[in-house]
Amino acid sequence: MLSHPRRVPEPGATGMEKPVQSSPQPLNPWQRWAHWLAFACSGLTLLMIIVGAMVTTIRAGDTDPTWSWRFWEWAVGWWQSQGGRAYELGHRVIGTVIGFCLIGFTIAQYKGETGPRRWLGVAALAVLVLQGVLGGVRVLVVSDTDVRHAVLDATGGGTGVEARRAALAMAHGVVGQVTFAILSALALLTSRGWLAPMSPQPHHGALRTRALARSALGLALVQLFLGTLVRQTGQHVMLHVGGAFLVSAFVLALVLRVHRLHGSVRPVRKLASLLGFLLLAQVFLGLTPWMLTQGLLVSPAPASVVALLRTAHVTTGALLLVLLALLGLWLRRLVVMPQPGQQAPADDPVGRLQDYWVLTKARLSSLVLVTVGAGYLLASRGEVDWPLFVLAVGGVGAVAGGTGALNQVLERERDARMERTRNRPIPSGRVSAAEATLFGILLILLGSAMLALGVNLLSTALALVTSAIYLGIYTPLKTRTTLNTLIGAVPGALPPVIGWTAVTDALTIEAFVLFAILFVWQLPHFWSIAWLYRKQYEEGGMRMLGWWDPQGGVLARQITIWCAALLLTSLLPVVTGMAGITYAVGALALGLGFLGAGVVHAWRRSQGTTRGVFVASLLYLPLLLLALLLDAA
């Protein structure tokens, strides 16, 4: 699909003026105390969440079944304890310190403010008390008979203590995360930067951006609940995984929208960038412990590593919730609707989607999908697991699309110099490099998660190796050596291998045969493209084989040689027993036709014969794979 040029609106034309901030007014002593106490409470709450996550991970919640109003006894017990009990008592001690700090904040806020703002501390203190009560009842429902009976009577009777304990623990964890968000918001609302006068940015998309931020925040809360459910019960993992995909999609849309429409608002832009980074970290921290505990790695990591990763996963989730809350506050403060009568900028959502489609290099990615699917179907031998097929093809397709986007980020300067690529989204200015980078990384992570969770680790590793070679080796070599096509053929030949391993979870001789066919096929295919667009490649600084030969003899001879090599390579399935006589006849016919196109080009060396080689290559590969599939069937 080809992109079309669209006018990029100037900042002044749509009311996208940069906010003007006046000098911050000095805070009175009570306000300063309120801000620093709120900041301290927020930091201590993050520490409490970290320790609490470790308590849940190592199942240390019931190591000290007592609960006392004499808080100093917890500090003494923590100092004398080791192991899980030390974590549990440390969690309680931190909660106690937060309580006293928040009491101080409540007093300072009441003294330093007027109007409704003076009651913010009281509201936050009430939430913290609720969180503490839930934690205390969770402990006592197991150890105290009176509390146990009271809880059972209040929740419908019966004897299911464990279910009540898990429910209380889930509520305790979720309210703790909400408390962290509230205290972080208070630290922002009491800061000098927030209290300083600031002119907001008028934009017609303000309401949609705010609505998207609220939706992402609400989904993040639901996802935190699902995560707590998984941690307490050990079940419903796929609900949590599905929620992760949904939250990631909304957060990604929010980050991209903020950078595109409100990038001139510095607090909003910085929070959105940090949000995107933490989202990537959260996906990694959630995926890695799952693989470790499911035995998908050859060398299982120690339990302490798993505990640290899971604790970091919970902590990062809390930070994501806080960033979404703070971003929502700044959007409400600094991004507003324009005055009535101001003309709204033209919106082109279809063109926007088309730009992201172009970023994925959809035509190249479609070839990847075909070869992955072929490798999968060949390995299935007539017994196709279609859900697994969809996961394998979809996962590799997402990795390929993300790799294509990152490749366009790396080559944006060269693309701007070539006629055939200068209208791509990044060099044309319709999509920023930061947006495309984030989009590409998230696509790769999405595809990797699909492969790791739904297929197997070997296929995941091969997909990531393919992406790494393409971006880290092949792309920079385009301007350094004429051997770049040989290097680039390696990642291009791996997709059918990934399809094969998705079924077999092993690298067999058949996988290497598929690799060899795809590797050899790419050389005459891409060299024909190189000759067709040789002048533009020279303008872009790319070193292609035969660039020093204006007559094209060197390239023509190489095309012919590799067409002959492909004819021999295509017979390997017959030699290895993958295919029989039906495939052999088809492979010979197709190979001779492709070789004939190469010979004609070597003889005449014209644009027409070069295009003939290119068209022959496009026909050859799908027909050869079809012959292989029909023979296998």
Side-chain angles (χ1 to χ4, degrees):
M1 183 179 294
L2 298 177
S3 61
H4 58 276
R6 292 193 304 280
R7 177 177 174 270
V8 180
E10 296 294 333
T14 60
M16 296 173 62
E17 293 82 8
K18 187 175 181 179
V20 178
Q21 182 174 2
S22 304
S23 298
Q25 298 296 323
L27 304 179
N28 64 51
W30 286 111
Q31 287 176 319
R32 287 197 296 271
W33 272 107
H35 170 65
W36 285 112
L37 285 170
F39 188 81
C41 287
S42 176
L44 287 170
T45 305
L46 177 61
L47 179 61
M48 182 179 69
I49 289 173
I50 295 172
V51 176
M54 182 61 74
V55 168
T56 304
T57 299
I58 63 177
R59 297 294 186 264
D62 296 321
T63 52
D64 191 313
T66 62
W67 191 273
S68 173
W69 290 103
R70 295 188 292 270
F71 303 117
W72 58 88
E73 294 180 352
W74 292 344
V76 174
W78 167 75
W79 184 261
Q80 298 174 348
S81 299
Q82 294 180 350
R85 186 168 182 267
Y87 280 106
E88 169 63 17
L89 292 179
H91 181 64
R92 299 180 191 180
V93 170
I94 297 169
T96 303
V97 175
I98 294 171
F100 285 114
C101 284
L102 194 50
I103 291 172
F105 167 79
T106 302
I107 296 171
Q109 183 72 2
Y110 186 86
K111 290 284 189 179
E113 296 287 351
T114 58
R117 285 176 58 90
R118 71 192 318 182
W119 299 103
L120 291 175
V122 177
L125 189 59
V127 176
L128 183 66
V129 169
L130 173 63
Q131 202 259 351
V133 169
L134 289 171
V137 175
R138 189 212 70 80
V139 172
L140 294 176
V141 75
V142 177
S143 61
D144 190 287
T145 304
D146 294 335
V147 174
R148 183 187 312 123
H149 289 317
V151 170
L152 290 174
D153 292 341
T155 55
T159 58
V161 176
E162 185 59 29
R164 269 74 165 191
R165 185 205 65 79
L168 287 167
M170 289 164 56
H172 176 67
V174 172
V175 174
Q177 305 266 11
V178 173
T179 303
F180 179 41
I182 291 173
L183 293 175
S184 300
L186 290 178
L188 171 64
L189 294 174
T190 56
S191 64
R192 293 180 64 193
W194 180 269
L195 296 175
M198 184 177 290
S199 301
Q201 176 210 46
H203 197 287
H204 285 86
L207 294 182
R208 289 185 180 180
T209 306
R210 291 185 195 172
L212 183 59
R214 289 194 298 269
S215 300
L217 179 62
L219 288 172
L221 280 170
V222 174
Q223 179 67 355
L224 285 175
F225 170 78
L226 292 175
T228 307
L229 177 65
V230 171
R231 288 171 64 78
Q232 292 296 329
T233 66
Q235 301 175 357
H236 312 292
V237 175
M238 295 314 297
L239 275 178
H240 188 53
V241 173
F245 282 124
L246 189 60
V247 171
S248 298
F250 271 76
V251 171
L252 172 61
L254 177 62
V255 171
L256 294 177
R257 183 176 178 85
V258 166
H259 276 281
R260 179 167 60 94
L261 300 182
H262 316 294
S264 61
V265 186
R266 185 181 179 189
V268 170
R269 184 185 69 249
K270 293 177 70 174
L271 280 174
S273 300
L274 185 56
L275 190 64
F277 172 77
L278 281 182
L279 178 64
L280 302 180
Q282 181 71 339
V283 172
F284 170 79
L285 292 170
L287 183 62
T288 304
W290 188 91
M291 292 191 298
L292 289 171
T293 55
Q294 292 295 316
L296 294 179
L297 294 183
V298 177
S299 300
S304 59
V305 174
V306 175
L308 289 174
L309 288 171
R310 284 179 169 165
T311 300
H313 181 62
V314 175
T315 305
T316 307
L319 291 171
L320 280 170
L321 183 70
V322 166
L323 287 181
L324 285 169
L326 299 183
L327 181 58
L329 288 173
W330 276 118
L331 285 170
R332 185 174 181 83
R333 172 75 185 278
L334 296 178
V335 179
V336 299
M337 291 295 290
Q339 296 295 326
Q342 186 174 352
Q343 185 178 2
D347 194 11
D348 186 10
V350 175
R352 192 71 183 170
L353 289 174
Q354 186 177 352
D355 282 339
Y356 283 103
W357 180 258
V358 173
L359 281 177
T360 63
K361 292 192 171 182
R363 285 185 292 182
L364 183 59
S365 297
S366 64
L367 177 62
V368 171
L369 299 184
V370 169
T371 56
V372 172
Y376 184 96
L377 294 175
L378 287 169
S380 298
R381 304 184 189 278
E383 299 179 0
V384 182
D385 184 344
W386 291 110
L388 185 63
F389 176 86
V390 172
L391 283 171
V393 174
V396 175
V399 173
T403 303
L406 294 180
N407 170 257
Q408 291 187 53
V409 173
L410 296 174
E411 295 188 329
R412 60 189 183 275
E413 294 181 0
R414 293 197 290 271
D415 285 348
R417 297 197 295 265
M418 295 189 292
E419 182 180 354
R420 64 186 289 261
T421 56
R422 64 170 55 110
N423 194 42
R424 283 178 175 174
I426 301 176
S428 65
R430 299 193 303 273
V431 176
S432 69
E435 286 181 75
T437 300
L438 183 60
F439 175 69
I441 292 175
L442 288 178
L443 269 184
I444 291 175
L445 287 176
L446 172 63
S448 302
M450 292 175 65
L451 293 171
L453 297 174
V455 186
N456 56 58
L457 192 61
L458 177 59
S459 299
T460 309
L462 288 173
L464 292 176
V465 167
T466 302
S467 179
I469 295 175
Y470 191 90
L471 295 173
I473 301 178
Y474 169 60
T475 298
L477 287 181
K478 284 183 179 181
T479 58
R480 290 175 170 83
T481 175
T482 58
L483 298 177
N484 63 77
T485 306
L486 287 170
I487 303 298
V490 173
L494 283 173
V497 178
I498 300 172
W500 185 275
T501 59
V503 178
T504 63
D505 197 15
L507 288 171
T508 61
I509 186 63
E510 294 88 350
F512 288 103
V513 166
L514 294 175
F515 175 88
I517 293 174
L518 263 290
F519 180 89
V520 178
W521 170 82
Q522 289 176 87
L523 300 178
H525 171 74
F526 284 111
W527 279 331
S528 65
I529 297 176
W531 183 252
L532 286 172
Y533 297 100
R534 60 190 181 281
K535 293 184 179 179
Q536 295 188 40
Y537 282 161
E538 290 176 9
E539 293 173 357
M542 298 185 186
R543 295 174 62 86
M544 306 305 293
L545 183 65
W547 63 270
W548 62 88
D549 180 11
Q551 302 301 319
V554 173
L555 206 57
R557 286 191 294 273
Q558 289 297 319
I559 288 175
T560 305
I561 290 171
W562 285 99
C563 283
L566 181 60
L567 176 61
L568 298 176
T569 306
S570 66
L571 297 177
L572 286 176
V574 181
V575 176
T576 58
M578 287 178 64
I581 188 64
T582 303
Y583 167 78
V585 172
L588 281 172
L590 291 170
L592 289 172
F594 197 4
L595 177 60
V599 171
V600 170
H601 172 61
W603 179 30
R604 295 184 177 178
R605 278 181 275 172
S606 66
Q607 285 290 100
T609 57
T610 308
R611 195 169 299 277
V613 173
F614 175 68
V615 172
S617 69
L618 292 179
L619 293 174
Y620 174 88
L621 185 62
L623 291 175
L624 184 78
L625 294 176
L626 180 61
L628 194 56
L629 288 170
L630 290 175
D631 185 272

